[in-house]
Amino acid sequence: MVNIQIKEKLISIVGAENYDDSKAGRLVYSYDATPNFQSMPDAVISPRNAQEISSILKVCSSSGVPIVPRGSGTNLCAGTCPTEGGIVLLFKHMNKIMEIDEENLTVTVQPGVITLDMINQVEARGLFYPPDPSSMKISTIGGNINENSGGLRGLKYGVTRDYVMGLEAVLANGDIIRTGGKLAKDVAGYDFTRLLVGSEGTLGIITEATLKLIPLPESKKTMLALYQDLEQAAKSVSKIIADKIIPATLEFLDQPTLKVVEDFAQIGLPTDVQAVLLIEQDGPIEVVEKDMKKMAEICKKQGAVSVQLANSEMEAEALRTARRAALSALARLKPTTILEDATVPRSEIANMVKAINEISQKYGLSICTFGHAGDGNLHPTCPADARDKDEMERVEKAFEEIFIKAIELGGTITGEHGVGVMKAPYLELKLGQAGIDAMKAVKAALDPNNILNPGKIFAKDNRKRVVVSQ
Amino acid sequence: MVNIQIKEKLISIVGAENYDDSKAGRLVYSYDATPNFQSMPDAVISPRNAQEISSILKVCSSSGVPIVPRGSGTNLCAGTCPTEGGIVLLFKHMNKIMEIDEENLTVTVQPGVITLDMINQVEARGLFYPPDPSSMKISTIGGNINENSGGLRGLKYGVTRDYVMGLEAVLANGDIIRTGGKLAKDVAGYDFTRLLVGSEGTLGIITEATLKLIPLPESKKTMLALYQDLEQAAKSVSKIIADKIIPATLEFLDQPTLKVVEDFAQIGLPTDVQAVLLIEQDGPIEVVEKDMKKMAEICKKQGAVSVQLANSEMEAEALRTARRAALSALARLKPTTILEDATVPRSEIANMVKAINEISQKYGLSICTFGHAGDGNLHPTCPADARDKDEMERVEKAFEEIFIKAIELGGTITGEHGVGVMKAPYLELKLGQAGIDAMKAVKAALDPNNILNPGKIFAKDNRKRVVVSQ
């Protein structure tokens, strides 16, 4: 609880104009993009630099007040919901692109930079930052780093983790540390850069990041492969990779998703087929053309009823935008949209899609499935209504079965959304008790007073997924 | 100290045939490839599986006996020298390639597999494991993972860390954990995979690894660019990258190194120039040819006196082999070879090479410099004689200045060799006290009795680099 003494200390650090404990101000930051989680913070604070964050953390550490760093709150694991109260920390003053270094191919940013703004700026210099979470229009780089965000280009280019070269971060005790640098190789001590990436704000507060860039591919082509059989689509994915082609994007949408997306985007997507693969390749033009031709052949051989190349970059961009809008489109169906990211080895996609359909039938639910087929990262999505207790119980049971199935197939409970509060009860499925104990030991070592985003990643109790706490 | 009770317990776990405390047996494992470090272990143990390692660690934890996991001992940081006694753990029974999965593009191995054996096996299937430390003919994958080994292809393809997808490891308390999997995306909890990679055996003992493979590039070309001016060579490196070409290899050798390597390898390397760049590109043939042509033009424009394309794969292989033999060649000059791996942002290579030459002159030493110019990872190497105390003192001072200069240029004290005992006194230069404290907290949390490779990474005292302890 933030008492008057703590409040005064915090205001003396950031100024009254950057401290807000009005009811309206707190309400705005009482939830994030995750359905059904809400909890009021005691205050919202907007520091201007790492030094101020260091001072804030010292106050929080000595008083035991929770602190929840938050970018744009687009995460889907309730990772930025202040479930234990305390202070929500915003980066609105720390949103600058500090440097684009064309000789070392790096960009150095503050955490509050909007992902797409940065991508546009580096692309204007002929450089490329590949991680592209669907929320990139509004997400921040700091949020992406904390969640280790993925996206559509993960298969070929990797995820956020693969592009973070160095960080400045403030630890719970107020120490400011720097990890890595503009260095392709650095083995000086443990890999704290990657320990912080994806740690969901529970180990430190990131205040600056140096990211790796690569040359912008010189060309790109996009195509759609249509299937009347889900399994044929899934097998095409495996076959493409086994034929040693790594496309830039290999997205899967099932029929229910297609219908909803077309209804939303109105770009002429086929809705009379069972599944679609959205396939892109980028690189030197000769290579792109060769790969697209080979992939079209593979898809046809695996039973695609049609393979259509986008006629123009405008048409391709429309397809990509439609795909990125899948969550927004699905969210229009019912008041509560539960979107998950169970992930399996790509050879198991056909089995996973089949299992999702069976589970959805078993519980009388309508689950739409789409996602990053190329990296086995599926998004089974259930439009539901949180006010319908019976339905929500069935949703909960269905997703538990989906997670168990993913683990059984060698997969994981979360490919790119993070654990947060949402997946915490299932973490043991993936890590076992020994794995969780080891991670908790690291958390306790770096944050002994448990002030950094407490209640996230590690579950307090088991198996209560959809908590309504308003 | 291993007393008779502990010895009996250990023998009951692995069998008498896998426990050796003879003087000869211990002597063999009292040192590694690092000059001037030697210390006798109490015993050498060769477990057959993770379960046995778990039992061994429980014995060590309860009795406080140090345990030093060791592959082929090719590291250059005294990382596998049993400086505090205890037990050296070998992987000679855990050296199998468990699976090559062509659908998911992974290989699963035990830690004792020889790197090159695995590379040859995956290449026979048209797949590619890029990390290629110069020691790969004899190094083990387990050693590579523990040191996060780099190599000649780091610039384009990254280092060992970038290819480790999942691990099985035994923690100090005997718990067996599994991290990651055959998954391009997995954010279930902290990134323990990468925390273990490069942790030099101080956080856990790796017992199995799943590694990422990529399609084998369809062609490769090699060329040599010759310079009469070091700075022109360094500038060519920056210019190539700034022109958005990422070559597979971009190696630098200065004249002293060239002379020694040619004397050793006898393949007709030029010895009348000041520096050479060994440049390789791989990929689709059209792209390789275009890139090689552009790079040749850039090198000439920057002042290369000659640019020569290798006429055949045999000639190219001879060049690569000669480069990989640089350490062996230099080691013939004098009894003690101090090879370091100070690393800087690639834009600073010219400055770093210049500084190394000035420092070498200041201390009256002959330092040869070669290394992975493309990723700023240089290997200043000083042939010396450990019996000459005065010379060794000058070597120590010179390398301290080299490390300080590297940090000043935004670099690091070690790019790919690891900290071990050798670099421990300098770690603070890179991380600061706060960074070291945080890493020590993680170490203490996961290994409270400090049994896992104690005395490594974190220095006991400051600034004593070349310790002769025989």
Side-chain angles (χ1 to χ4, degrees), chain B residues 92-122:
Chain B
K92 64 183 185 189
H93 299 306
M94 297 174 71
N95 62 351
K96 310 212 172 29
I97 296 176
M98 320 277 286
E99 181 200 40
I100 298 176
D101 179 339
E102 296 188 49
E103 228 175 334
N104 291 302
L105 304 193
T106 60
V107 56
T108 300
V109 294
Q110 291 184 319
V113 171
I114 299 295
T115 312
L116 187 60
D117 290 350
M118 188 199 76
I119 288 178
N120 287 337
Q121 290 228 21
V122 303

Side-chain angles (χ1 to χ4, degrees), chain A residues 150-210:
Chain A
L152 277 66
R153 298 190 281 236
L155 165 64
K156 181 170 180 177
Y157 290 107
V159 294
T160 302
R161 178 189 65 218
D162 302 306
Y163 294 85
V164 183
M165 301 181 82
L167 293 172
E168 180 189 73
V170 187
L171 301 180
N173 61 7
D175 278 352
I176 300 175
I177 63 167
R178 280 196 166 265
T179 73
K182 290 179 183 174
L183 299 163
K185 289 176 175 169
D186 177 21
V187 291
Y190 302 142
D191 191 347
F192 259 45
T193 306
R194 281 155 203 90
L195 182 62
L196 287 166
V197 173
S199 67
E200 306 186 14
T202 65
L203 298 180
I205 294 185
I206 290 161
T207 49
E208 192 185 289
T210 296

Side-chain angles (χ1 to χ4, degrees), chain A residues 104 151 185-186 190 202 347 412, chain B residues 104 151 185-186 190 202 347 412:
Chain A
N104 291 304
K185 289 176 175 169
D186 177 21
Y190 302 142
T202 65
S347 59
T412 185
Chain B
N104 291 302
K185 289 176 176 169
D186 177 21
Y190 302 142
T202 65
S347 59
T412 184

Side-chain angles (χ1 to χ4, degrees), chain B residues 40-315:
Chain B
M40 286 291 265
D42 296 321
V44 180
I45 200 165
S46 303
R48 289 161 294 196
N49 52 53
Q51 203 48 59
E52 287 186 359
I53 294 177
S54 168
S55 303
I56 293 166
L57 288 195
K58 284 177 190 162
V59 172
C60 289
S61 263
S62 65
S63 58
V65 170
I67 184 129
V68 182
R70 177 188 165 113
S72 297
T74 54
N75 75 85
L76 295 167
C77 63
T80 49
C81 180
T83 44
E84 306 201 359
I87 295 164
V88 170
L89 189 152
L90 305 180
F91 294 93
K92 64 183 185 189
H93 299 306
M94 297 174 71
N95 62 351
K96 310 212 172 29
I97 296 176
M98 320 277 286
E99 181 200 40
I100 298 176
D101 179 339
E102 296 188 49
E103 228 175 334
N104 291 302
L105 304 193
T106 60
V107 56
T108 300
V109 294
Q110 291 184 319
V113 171
I114 299 295
T115 312
L116 187 60
D117 290 350
M118 188 199 76
I119 288 178
N120 287 337
Q121 290 228 21
V122 303
E123 291 194 0
R125 311 264 193 115
L127 295 168
F128 187 36
Y129 176 77
D132 61 340
S134 291
S135 57
M136 67 184 182
K137 270 190 192 173
I138 42 165
S139 70
T140 64
I141 287 291
N144 294 170
I145 294 171
N146 276 293
E147 300 296 327
N148 187 14
S149 301
L152 278 66
R153 299 190 280 237
L155 165 64
K156 181 168 181 178
Y157 290 107
V159 294
T160 301
R161 179 189 64 218
D162 302 305
Y163 293 85
V164 183
M165 303 183 78
L167 292 173
E168 180 189 74
V170 187
L171 301 180
N173 62 6
D175 278 352
I176 300 175
I177 63 166
R178 280 197 166 264
T179 73
K182 290 179 183 175
L183 299 164
K185 289 176 176 169
D186 177 21
V187 291
Y190 302 142
D191 191 348
F192 259 47
T193 306
R194 282 157 201 89
L195 182 61
L196 287 167
V197 173
S199 67
E200 307 186 11
T202 65
L203 298 180
I205 293 185
I206 290 161
T207 49
E208 194 184 289
T210 296
L211 307 171
K212 174 181 159 174
L213 302 173
I214 58 175
L216 191 62
E218 63 187 55
S219 73
K220 180 153 71 174
K221 287 204 178 288
T222 304
M223 69 182 176
L224 279 188
L226 319 183
Y227 296 85
Q228 289 301 357
D229 180 314
L230 283 177
E231 217 150 308
Q232 289 172 345
K235 282 206 176 130
S236 299
V237 171
S238 291
K239 202 74 188 62
I240 286 169
I241 316 280
D243 265 27
K244 307 196 169 61
I245 305 172
I246 310 286
T249 297
L250 196 39
E251 294 288 308
F252 168 89
L253 294 92
D254 70 0
Q255 192 182 37
T257 311
L258 276 171
K259 281 188 176 153
V260 175
V261 170
E262 173 55 22
D263 191 38
F264 179 79
Q266 310 256 349
I267 59 159
L269 280 174
T271 55
D272 56 347
V273 292
Q274 287 304 307
V276 153
L277 291 180
L278 170 66
I279 304 173
E280 295 198 294
Q281 183 57 303
D282 60 12
I285 183 75
E286 314 86 325
V287 179
V288 170
E289 279 178 357
K290 196 167 60 179
D291 284 355
M292 292 304 271
K293 201 166 150 248
K294 273 171 80 181
M295 288 191 283
E297 279 163 18
I298 292 169
C299 292
K300 280 180 199 153
K301 209 168 160 191
Q302 294 301 316
V305 291
S306 155
V307 179
Q308 309 164 353
L309 204 70
N311 288 317
S312 63
E313 175 51 27
M314 217 171 77
E315 195 182 321

Side-chain angles (χ1 to χ4, degrees), chain B residues 352-393:
Chain B
M352 192 67 214
V353 170
K354 208 163 139 245
I356 291 170
N357 288 339
E358 283 164 12
I359 293 166
S360 120
Q361 271 172 26
K362 175 175 167 188
Y363 290 101
L365 298 166
S366 130
I367 296 185
C368 306
T369 297
F370 64 99
H372 319 302
D375 36 47
N377 179 200
L378 294 173
H379 293 310
T381 303
C382 186
D385 186 339
R387 291 163 300 187
D388 181 341
K389 277 206 170 4
D390 171 68
E391 185 184 51
M392 288 312 272
E393 257 176 46

Side-chain angles (χ1 to χ4, degrees), chain A residues 149-299:
Chain A
S149 300
L152 277 66
R153 298 190 281 236
L155 165 64
K156 181 170 180 177
Y157 290 107
V159 294
T160 302
R161 178 189 65 218
D162 302 306
Y163 294 85
V164 183
M165 301 181 82
L167 293 172
E168 180 189 73
V170 187
L171 301 180
N173 61 7
D175 278 352
I176 300 175
I177 63 167
R178 280 196 166 265
T179 73
K182 290 179 183 174
L183 299 163
K185 289 176 175 169
D186 177 21
V187 291
Y190 302 142
D191 191 347
F192 259 45
T193 306
R194 281 155 203 90
L195 182 62
L196 287 166
V197 173
S199 67
E200 306 186 14
T202 65
L203 298 180
I205 294 185
I206 290 161
T207 49
E208 192 185 289
T210 296
L211 307 171
K212 173 181 160 174
L213 303 174
I214 58 176
L216 191 63
E218 63 187 54
S219 73
K220 180 153 73 171
K221 286 205 177 288
T222 304
M223 70 183 175
L224 280 187
L226 318 183
Y227 296 85
Q228 289 300 359
D229 180 314
L230 285 176
E231 215 150 311
Q232 289 172 345
K235 283 208 175 126
S236 300
V237 172
S238 291
K239 200 76 188 61
I240 287 168
I241 315 280
D243 265 28
K244 306 196 171 59
I245 304 172
I246 310 286
T249 298
L250 195 38
E251 293 289 306
F252 168 88
L253 293 92
D254 69 1
Q255 193 181 35
T257 312
L258 277 171
K259 281 187 177 156
V260 175
V261 171
E262 173 55 19
D263 191 38
F264 179 80
Q266 309 257 350
I267 59 159
L269 278 174
T271 55
D272 57 346
V273 292
Q274 288 303 308
V276 153
L277 291 180
L278 170 65
I279 304 173
E280 294 198 294
Q281 184 57 302
D282 60 12
I285 183 74
E286 314 87 322
V287 177
V288 170
E289 279 178 357
K290 196 167 61 179
D291 283 355
M292 292 305 269
K293 198 165 154 249
K294 272 170 81 180
M295 287 191 284
E297 279 163 18
I298 291 169
C299 292

